[in-house]
């Protein structure tokens, strides 16, 4: 199991106090995703959308990594092969736990993007629709997050890495949103072993060779400890 690709979603950050999307009390039970997480919603009401992400940025800054994030950082340090974390999460909890190989396919809440020139920079705590881009001056700034209807980041590179994986692990994601929900099929088709770690069986659970149910803060450290013990 030298080459491991790990996909994760909101479930890995749930115990850090950051809400999930589709569980009871999830963000999409309180907000209309069409209004706050689409380019059309942003065009209609940029103040509402910036406010939504300003609140999420504040939550992110106030949260701390949990035992699942820490275990994945340990895995990256101690595993003799390659570890890549592909996250759908826009928080920075993996980085703060010490992981370095982290690809944010849905962007990062702590970064800002200019829709006019493509420049990216560290987002201030509060973004507003008329903020000028520090590079070109256009008032076209937005959070550097991928909205519904937009293409996730790094797709070509991620798909390549999935085809090279010996093991694909999915943690804390409902398997509801493509293209991430299709990663298990791609990795399995290319010969990878597959494992799901989730509170409950996800929508794509049947595609995995093995599934384990429970909280990420327990399942992930246990899985990492078992894997590292076998590598000795
Ligand atoms: N440990 C493990 N899994 C958990 C935990 C936990 N403590 N708490 C919740 N879960 C599981 C839930 O059972 C659910 O299957 O995490 C999953 C979270 O699913 P979603 O809320 O759908 O979040 P996610 O899969 O990350 O959503 C994908 O949709 O709207 C978007 O862009 C957003 O990146 C996000 C994408």
């Amino acid at each position: 199991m030298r080459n491991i690709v790990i996909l994760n979603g909101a479930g890995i950050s749930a115990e850090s106090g950051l809400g999930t999307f589709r569980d009871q009390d999830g963000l999409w039970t309180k907000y209309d995703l069409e209004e706050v997480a689409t380019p059309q919603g942003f065009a209609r009401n940029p103040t509402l959308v910036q406010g939504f992400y300003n609140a999420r940025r504040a939550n992110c800054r106030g949260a701390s990594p949990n035992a699942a994030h820490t275990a994945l950082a340990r895995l990256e340090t101690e595993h003799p092969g390659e570890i890549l974390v592909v996250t759908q999460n826009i928080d920075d909890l993996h980085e703060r736990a010490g992981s370095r190989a982290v690809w944010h396919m849905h962007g990062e809440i702590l970064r800002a993007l200019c829709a006019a020139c493509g420049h990216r920079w560290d987002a201030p705590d509060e973004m507003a629709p008329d903020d000028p881009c520090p590079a070109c001056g256009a008032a076209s700034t937005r959070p550097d997050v991928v909205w519904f209807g937009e293409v996730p980041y790094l797709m070509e590179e991620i798909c390549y890495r999935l085809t090279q994986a010996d093991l694909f692990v999915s943690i804390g994601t409902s398997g509801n949103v493509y293209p991430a929900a299709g990663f298990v099929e791609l990795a399995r088709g290319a010969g990878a072993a597959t494992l799901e770690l989730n509170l409950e069986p996800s929508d794509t659970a049947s595609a995995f060779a093995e599934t384990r149910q429970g909280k990420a803060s327990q399942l992930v450290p246990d899985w990492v400890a078992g894997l590292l013990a076998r590598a000795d």
Side-chain angles (χ1 to χ4, degrees):
M1 295 299 164
R2 289 197 65 77
N3 193 346
I4 303 176
V5 177
I6 298 160
L7 169 71
N8 64 47
I12 199 166
S13 295
E15 291 163 80
S16 294
L18 300 180
T20 61
F21 295 98
R22 295 174 183 79
D23 294 308
Q24 207 184 3
D25 283 340
L27 274 177
W28 297 153
T29 67
K30 297 176 198 145
Y31 296 90
D32 182 349
L33 75 83
E34 296 290 338
E35 296 307 323
V36 298
T38 63
Q40 295 78 8
F42 186 57
R44 277 194 294 273
N45 193 343
T47 305
L48 174 83
V49 176
Q50 294 279 23
F52 173 74
Y53 287 99
N54 287 341
R56 300 199 57 209
R57 192 175 300 110
N59 288 346
C60 171
R61 290 205 204 277
S64 300
N66 66 53
H69 300 102
T70 308
L72 293 185
R74 175 185 173 210
L75 183 65
E76 187 185 70
T77 307
E78 297 183 24
H79 179 64
E82 276 206 71
I83 302 294
L84 172 65
V85 172
V86 176
T87 185
Q88 299 169 87
N89 298 344
I90 58 177
D91 65 57
D92 65 341
L93 297 182
H94 286 297
E95 287 87 346
R96 279 198 265 148
S99 285
R100 282 157 301 168
V102 182
W103 291 359
H104 285 270
M105 64 181 288
H106 291 170
E108 297 174 69
I109 187 64
L110 299 183
R111 301 279 288 166
L113 167 67
C114 175
C117 75
H119 180 65
R120 290 184 164 85
W121 66 101
D122 287 340
D125 286 346
E126 299 273 319
M127 292 184 69
D130 53 0
D131 288 346
C133 166
C136 75
S140 301
T141 63
R142 53 171 283 182
D144 188 12
V145 299
V146 176
W147 286 321
F148 286 94
E150 297 183 321
V151 180
Y153 296 155
L154 297 166
M155 280 311 299
E156 220 174 289
E157 293 87 343
I158 293 168
C159 289
Y160 174 72
R161 293 291 291 267
L162 289 167
T163 64
Q164 302 301 303
D166 298 310
L167 172 62
F168 171 72
V169 185
S170 175
I171 304 170
T173 178
S174 60
N176 209 280
V177 176
Y178 283 81
F183 288 176
V184 59
E185 299 285 2
L186 181 57
R188 196 181 63 170
T194 53
L195 169 65
E196 173 172 281
L197 306 176
N198 208 49
L199 196 57
E200 59 198 4
S202 73
D203 289 1
T204 53
S206 62
F208 288 83
E210 185 186 350
T211 60
R212 299 182 195 171
Q213 269 101 60
K215 290 185 170 180
S217 64
Q218 286 167 359
L219 288 184
V220 180
D222 287 354
W223 166 66
V224 167
L227 193 76
L228 292 176
R230 281 200 300 280
D232 285 343

